[in-house]
Amino acid sequence: MPESEKKQITLHGIPAAPGICIGQAYLVGTNSMEVVRKYPVRKEDVTEESARMRQAVKKSETEISLLIKKMQQDNSQQSFILESHLAVLKDKMFFGSTIETIEQQQVNAEWALKITVDRLTHNFNKIEDEYLRDRSSDIFHVYERVMRNLVGNDDKGIDTIHKRVILVAPDLSPAEASQIRVEWVQGFVTDRGGRTSHTGIVARTLQLPAVLGLGNATTQIHTEDVIIVDGIAGLVIVNPDENTLVDYSEAEARYENHLFEISKFSHEPATSLDKRTTEVSANIELLEEVVSVKDKGADGIGLYRTEFLYMNRRALPTEEELFENYKEAVDLMEGKPVTIRTLDVAGEKVAKGLMAPHEDNPALGQRAIRFCMRHPGILRTQLRAILRAASHGKIRLLFPMISSVEEILAVNQIVREVRQDLESHNVEFGRDVETGMMIEVPSAAVCADLFTPHVDFFSIGTNDLIQYSLAVDRGNKNVAHLFQPLHPAVLRMVKRVSETARDAGIRMAMCGEMAADPLHIPLLMGMDFDEFSMNPQAVPVVKSVVRSLDHGQCQALLEEALKLPTADEIADLITGTYGDLVFQHPLYAQDAPQDQPE
């Protein structure tokens, strides 16, 4: 379709990572498992390029025919599926269209094939009949076979992209996300996922604008469509008109300028107007992110999620592997604290042959510390590595998903046994490691006073605490609006925990995304937190807000907020009191481009 005839549409999703980017879409995932490079073909080489495509199709036909023959010899009843694949190969909409694209656009066969399949699967996805709609998978399987014969057996991944694009995908696995090269990928949008999903976390870590949970982005957007990703408002604008492009280009420039200005002071302490200092640390999943942590001026690592060390590998990591990883994190932070959370899995594969059990509701099942207590050998190995690394720098040990005193007592006993074992074998380890627990389930928050004799610090994980307290699946876009950090129940629970920690004289931190939002900082300041920890990108912003606040006034604001019955009224109170402060951030810019009509 000519560019002039493309209609602007606006898709609404979940704002997962702030920022704005404008560029060409590139579909990956269900509609295009391969990342395909496009390059021009000289006019005199077009015939040869078409022949290459024909050879790949011919080879695919031979392969499929041999499979059919073998299946028939085995009396298999499933050969009709492959026969349908043969029909696809011969269909002019598949083969003929690809040859036509090569000849008319003078592009390589791989790119022409990709364009053809994207168009066909898009059309299939619009069919109402479910059976017919599902036949698009046959096209995709044929596509994979032909593509493999075109390019050989080389696996193409996201890391092979060599042009500036915005990724559009059903979802991005951790392995795919780890392949993203920020010099080529401007941002990404997905059908699934939410602000606190793994994809969202990766987006913020890489500082790439992202809108997730769009539902049908991969059917609404095509490769090479011009799109705008507004990671602040949660909008994706497809085929924007000239006025929209101008508005968003200006908004993008304002946003980048604001980040530049506040970054000038990001390495200074976050000290309030009345001289109370709060540590502002960063959350990480990968060792490579330490560079971003230091670049953004974080005061430490407030949460090192260690799950990645266990995923997508043939065997569990050894104690030495873990030790080297943790030691490197400590070394890179150069004396600043590193809080390491023990393994927190829920239904994911943990190395080959070891899987957290499938459960209908893994969020309420054998996850985190429950999984580790079921596999104490895994926990002991990790604890040995952490304690050994602690001899090289300041490490805090954090246990996730503690819901009862019995659990923390059992975990502490294992820690003591590991220490005794290290000592008995004359292995060097850190002897003054602080141990803490996540407050992320209501039972831990309500009974916080019962835990204080057994830990050195609390760290509130607001993502899970809010989810469990309000019974809201934060990744479900149908109820995501009910995920309210300012809900009166959440505030009262957090305040209760903070008071308990203060009365007991133990350290109090928050490592959930609630602390990354400038709107929440005045109330959290009023609760006397010792540390906020968040995605590295948010550190300069939060430090800037803390420096602009008076701790005493924040305490008074908190008391007023706790009298209000709804999250909206509490938000209005904050914005009415500190509107000039929080609104100065582009997240809340009043002159940001408004939602465009579809």
Side-chain angles (χ1 to χ4, degrees):
M1 180 183 295
E3 294 293 329
S4 58
E5 296 180 14
K6 291 183 178 179
K7 182 182 178 182
Q8 173 176 310
I9 59 174
T10 301
L11 308 178
H12 297 255
I14 298 170
I20 295 170
C21 64
I22 304 170
Q24 284 192 319
Y26 197 108
L27 267 67
V28 295
T30 301
N31 291 333
S32 176
M33 292 300 291
E34 303 280 355
V35 174
V36 181
R37 187 167 64 92
K38 175 185 178 182
Y39 57 86
V41 174
R42 295 182 302 178
K43 188 175 181 179
E44 58 269 31
D45 295 332
V46 165
T47 301
E48 183 179 342
E49 191 68 11
S50 297
R52 198 164 68 86
M53 176 65 191
R54 288 188 174 89
Q55 289 170 0
V57 170
K58 185 65 178 178
K59 186 176 181 182
S60 299
E61 286 179 345
T62 301
E63 291 173 349
I64 294 173
S65 296
L66 288 174
L67 286 172
I68 290 174
K69 186 176 181 180
K70 185 177 187 306
M71 293 176 79
Q72 289 172 338
Q73 288 173 343
D74 296 336
N75 295 318
S76 171
Q77 303 299 310
Q78 307 303 317
S79 62
F80 72 94
I81 297 176
L82 291 179
E83 289 171 353
S84 69
H85 288 192
L86 278 180
V88 171
L89 279 173
K90 297 172 181 175
D91 194 299
K92 65 179 183 181
M93 295 296 292
F94 182 89
F95 177 72
S97 179
T98 303
I99 294 295
E100 188 176 284
T101 301
I102 294 171
E103 294 174 346
Q104 293 185 355
Q105 298 186 21
Q106 296 181 21
V107 293
N108 56 310
E110 293 88 347
W111 184 258
L113 177 61
K114 175 180 168 54
I115 294 295
T116 297
V117 171
D118 280 351
R119 182 170 57 248
L120 287 174
T121 53
H122 173 67
N123 291 336
F124 265 86
N125 287 334
K126 292 191 295 184
I127 297 175
E128 292 186 1
D129 184 277
E130 183 178 359
Y131 176 79
L132 293 176
R133 188 171 62 244
D134 287 345
R135 300 287 61 77
S136 65
S137 62
D138 293 335
I139 296 173
F140 187 68
H141 291 152
V142 173
Y143 159 78
E144 285 188 307
R145 182 177 294 279
V146 177
M147 185 64 78
R148 188 169 60 247
N149 286 326
L150 272 173
V151 303
N153 292 325
D154 293 338
D155 290 332
K156 301 292 182 184
I158 291 174
D159 59 342
T160 64
I161 294 177
H162 292 289
K163 65 177 183 177
R164 296 281 285 170
V165 296
I166 298 172
L167 296 182
V168 180
D171 200 358
L172 292 174
S173 69
E176 290 171 326
S178 66
Q179 295 177 355
I180 290 175
R181 297 172 62 183
V182 294
E183 64 267 39
W184 299 117
V185 177
Q186 297 172 261
F188 48 87
V189 302
T190 63
D191 293 338
R192 300 188 291 273
R195 180 174 172 78
T196 52
S197 67
H198 174 82
T199 308
I201 292 170
V202 170
R204 291 190 292 279
T205 299
L206 296 177
Q207 302 178 40
L208 296 175
V211 178
L212 310 182
L214 287 152
N216 59 353
T218 52
T219 61
Q220 299 283 315
I221 303 172
H222 306 94
T223 293
E224 292 195 317
D225 277 348
V226 174
I227 63 174
I228 296 171
V229 178
D230 182 346
I232 300 167
L235 302 178
V236 176
I237 301 171
V238 187
N239 302 317
D241 59 32
E242 187 172 341
N243 289 334
T244 303
L245 277 173
V246 170
D247 289 345
Y248 266 99
S249 295
E250 293 175 351
E252 183 181 19
R254 285 198 304 272
Y255 183 78
E256 294 298 329
N257 183 61
H258 178 81
L259 292 182
F260 174 76
E261 290 298 325
I262 62 174
S263 294
K264 292 179 181 176
F265 308 99
S266 63
H267 290 79
E268 299 296 323
T271 302
S272 65
L273 296 174
D274 51 347
K275 307 302 180 188
R276 188 180 193 282
T277 298
T278 304
E279 290 183 20
V280 181
S281 302
N283 302 339
I284 68 168
E285 295 190 40
L286 301 170
L287 200 56
E288 291 79 0
E289 298 168 55
V290 175
V291 175
S292 178
V293 171
K294 298 178 73 173
D295 182 56
K296 296 301 178 184
D299 298 318
I301 295 174
L303 175 64
Y304 185 3
R305 302 182 180 94
T306 55
E307 291 73 63
F308 259 103
L309 297 169
Y310 293 80
M311 302 298 178
N312 301 312
R313 49 184 301 150
R314 291 183 178 277
L316 289 167
T318 65
E319 178 184 325
E320 281 305 307
E321 286 179 84
L322 296 173
F323 165 72
E324 291 296 334
N325 183 284
Y326 304 150
K327 176 180 177 298
E328 188 170 353
V330 169
D331 290 342
L332 289 171
M333 289 304 295
E334 300 177 302
K336 292 184 177 179
V338 178
T339 302
I340 300 179
R341 186 182 69 184
T342 57
L343 182 61
D344 183 354
V345 292
E348 300 99 334
K349 185 177 181 181
V350 184
K352 186 176 182 179
L354 180 58
M355 175 97 74
H358 171 73
E359 296 168 312
D360 291 338
N361 193 346
L364 301 181
Q366 196 181 112
R367 58 168 292 195
I369 199 65
R370 298 171 184 175
F371 175 83
C372 288
M373 294 304 287
R374 184 86 172 182
H375 302 276
I378 295 176
L379 178 61
R380 287 176 185 274
T381 298
Q382 186 175 28
L383 289 175
R384 286 178 62 91
I386 293 172
L387 293 176
R388 287 176 57 199
S391 66
H392 296 267
K394 186 172 180 56
I395 282 182
R396 297 183 181 126
L397 180 57
L398 181 60
F399 296 109
M401 196 73 178
I402 298 292
S403 59
S404 69
V405 171
E406 290 90 337
E407 283 178 329
I408 195 65
L409 291 176
V411 167
N412 283 344
Q413 177 60 29
I414 292 178
V415 173
R416 281 193 292 272
E417 292 172 0
V418 170
R419 282 174 168 155
Q420 290 168 1
D421 186 62
L422 290 170
E423 190 160 21
S424 65
H425 289 84
N426 296 318
V427 178
E428 187 179 4
F429 68 97
R431 298 173 184 275
D432 56 351
V433 176
E434 296 178 6
T435 60
M437 59 177 276
M438 298 280 291
I439 300 289
E440 52 188 342
V441 296
S443 64
V446 171
C447 300
D449 59 306
L450 302 180
F451 291 99
T452 55
H454 310 295
V455 294
D456 298 308
F457 67 96
F458 288 150
S459 184
I460 295 183
T462 51
N463 302 336
D464 277 334
L465 183 61
I466 296 170
Q467 172 176 249
Y468 291 132
S469 299
L470 303 183
V472 174
D473 179 356
R474 61 201 188 203
N476 183 342
K477 74 170 188 176
N478 296 318
V479 296
H481 65 285
L482 299 175
F483 190 85
Q484 299 174 330
L486 294 179
H487 190 291
V490 175
L491 288 186
R492 291 172 186 226
M493 205 173 294
V494 173
K495 181 173 184 290
R496 175 187 173 85
V497 175
S498 67
E499 288 176 341
T500 301
R502 186 178 61 221
D503 292 345
I506 68 172
R507 180 180 176 78
M508 182 70 181
M510 175 175 283
C511 61
E513 287 304 309
M514 183 176 179
D517 193 329
L519 181 68
H520 304 149
I521 297 302
L523 295 185
L524 299 179
M525 284 274 290
M527 295 185 194
D528 298 334
F529 275 87
D530 298 297
E531 178 187 20
F532 301 138
S533 191
M534 61 210 66
N535 66 85
Q537 187 181 1
V539 168
V541 177
V542 170
K543 278 194 168 185
S544 173
V545 173
V546 170
R547 292 191 199 102
S548 305
L549 294 170
D550 179 281
H551 173 244
Q553 292 178 3
C554 289
Q555 289 180 311
L557 179 76
L558 174 63
E559 293 305 317
E560 289 301 312
L562 290 170
K563 298 174 184 175
L564 299 175
T566 69
D568 285 344
E569 290 174 272
I570 294 171
D572 289 343
L573 174 66
I574 301 172
T575 55
T577 307
Y578 292 110
D580 292 342
L581 173 63
V582 296
F583 284 164
Q584 72 177 348
H585 187 264
L587 279 170
Y588 305 100
Q590 298 298 291
D591 54 351
Q594 299 301 303
D595 190 3
Q596 303 295 316
E598 295 185 8

